Amino acid sequence: MDSIKSALREIGRQRQLLTMNLEVLDITDVASGFRRLTLHGHEIDGYCDPRAADAFKVMIPPLDAPDRRSQAPVRDVQGLPTWPGQEDPLLRALTVRSLDRVRRLMTVDVSNHSDGLLNLWLSALLPGDIVSLSGMRVEWYLPAQIEQLVLIADDAGAPALASILEALPAEFASAGTRIIVPESTREYVGGVEAEWLDSAMEFVPSLNDFKTEGVVGSGGRSQVWIAAETSAVRALRTVAKRDWNVSTQDLLARAYWHRGLSGTAVDARDLERYRRALVEGADMHSPQLAEDISLND
């Protein structure tokens, strides 16, 4: 069965891992709570197969480091990244918001509602600085057989959501789509240019507190995509499987952050979980593995 999870697994296996050192051209606020980083460089030429909501890891060096570049990671025997000869950089995920391969321009949008490492790093950046990216993670695929689509994101997932909305085929986007986002994203997500959005969009006070009844209609194959804080994703994943009867293969649930834990602590925890799973023969490209590692206690 062609599904979002089977497709992402195959795309991940086929894609070449990239490392790009790009120059900062501009940093600007694009909406309340969201900042856009515009990057430029010839290494964008190697990014040949862009897809909606692609996610790179930005390699963040010490903020006082004289050289902002990071070396490309080396993959160990398990396929996990290492940086021999240098201190491991801290990693944070960035979603590609737009790509202009002709002008070699890339933009990424970041929610700046928190005071974590990513926003601290972003606040210290200046035009002319170098940003090192490595990856990437595939986040989106829409099988032709899907009849109903549900997209749910909080502030952290809003840039990926916006990228997906812009990529939806017009004939599909006009019907059978529900989009659920917190009120805090209204200005940002509302900036996506699509006439059909008003009828599909539902703004809620919180993803932890909205009526889930009737979100998915009876009959027809449904796909659900969730990108938010861990506890909200866990709860909504359960609802999607139990109440909406969505197949796990048609459900992608991504924990973009974890309340009470830093991204560094989450990465260290998940890296150890990955190592154990790979020793046991797991497929490192499996979206289900990534989901289980980040969401299962």
Side-chain angles (χ1 to χ4, degrees), residues 114-125:
S114 71
D115 57 357
L117 173 67
L118 186 58
N119 280 301
L120 182 63
W121 167 78
L122 191 60
S123 67
L125 279 182

Side-chain angles (χ1 to χ4, degrees), residues 1-4 140-150 168 171-172 175-177 219-224 246-247 249-251:
M1 179 181 69
D2 187 27
S3 69
I4 186 169
W140 179 246
Y141 179 81
L142 181 62
Q145 300 84 359
I146 295 297
E147 299 177 48
Q148 299 181 80
L149 178 63
V150 179
L168 281 180
E171 64 274 14
F172 187 89
T177 301
R221 183 176 164 196
S222 301
Q223 177 169 300
V224 174
V246 176
S247 164
Q249 288 301 302
D250 289 329
L251 167 63

Side-chain angles (χ1 to χ4, degrees), residues 22-212:
L22 304 177
E23 180 184 359
V24 176
L25 289 188
D26 186 48
I27 306 169
T28 185
D29 293 328
V30 291
S32 176
F34 292 88
R35 187 169 296 172
R36 177 163 297 165
L37 180 60
T38 303
L39 305 171
H40 173 266
H42 68 88
E43 293 179 6
I44 284 176
D45 292 346
Y47 184 17
C48 301
D49 57 344
R51 294 175 178 269
D54 279 348
F56 283 88
K57 289 282 192 176
V58 60
M59 299 182 284
I60 302 178
L63 296 181
D64 58 353
D67 185 358
R68 308 293 294 174
R69 300 170 188 262
S70 290
Q71 297 176 12
V74 174
R75 298 282 160 174
D76 64 16
V77 294
Q78 293 179 313
L80 298 174
T82 61
W83 286 265
Q86 73 170 70
E87 181 180 352
D88 289 0
L90 297 177
L91 307 177
R92 294 294 185 272
L94 291 179
T95 297
V96 178
R97 186 65 176 82
S98 69
L99 184 71
D100 184 335
R101 297 188 68 242
V102 174
R103 295 192 295 165
R104 293 171 167 167
L105 294 177
M106 177 191 294
T107 64
V108 297
D109 291 353
V110 180
S111 166
N112 57 11
H113 286 285
S114 71
D115 57 357
L117 173 67
L118 186 58
N119 280 301
L120 182 63
W121 167 78
L122 191 60
S123 67
L125 279 182
L126 296 171
D129 285 346
I130 298 299
V131 170
S132 296
L133 303 173
S134 185
M136 80 290 298
R137 185 172 75 179
V138 191
E139 290 285 274
W140 179 246
Y141 179 81
L142 181 62
Q145 300 84 359
I146 295 297
E147 299 177 48
Q148 299 181 80
L149 178 63
V150 179
L151 304 169
I152 305 174
D154 67 3
D155 298 79
L161 172 67
S163 177
I164 290 169
L165 294 178
E166 291 176 343
L168 281 180
E171 64 274 14
F172 187 89
S174 60
T177 301
R178 293 287 302 274
I179 306 158
I180 300 165
V181 288
E183 182 65 38
S184 55
T185 68
R186 181 181 290 272
E187 182 183 357
Y188 178 76
V189 178
V192 176
E193 296 183 3
E195 295 180 356
W196 59 271
L197 273 181
D198 287 345
S199 61
M201 191 84 67
E202 179 181 354
F203 292 98
V204 297
S206 167
L207 295 186
N208 291 310
D209 184 26
F210 76 92
K211 295 181 179 180
T212 60

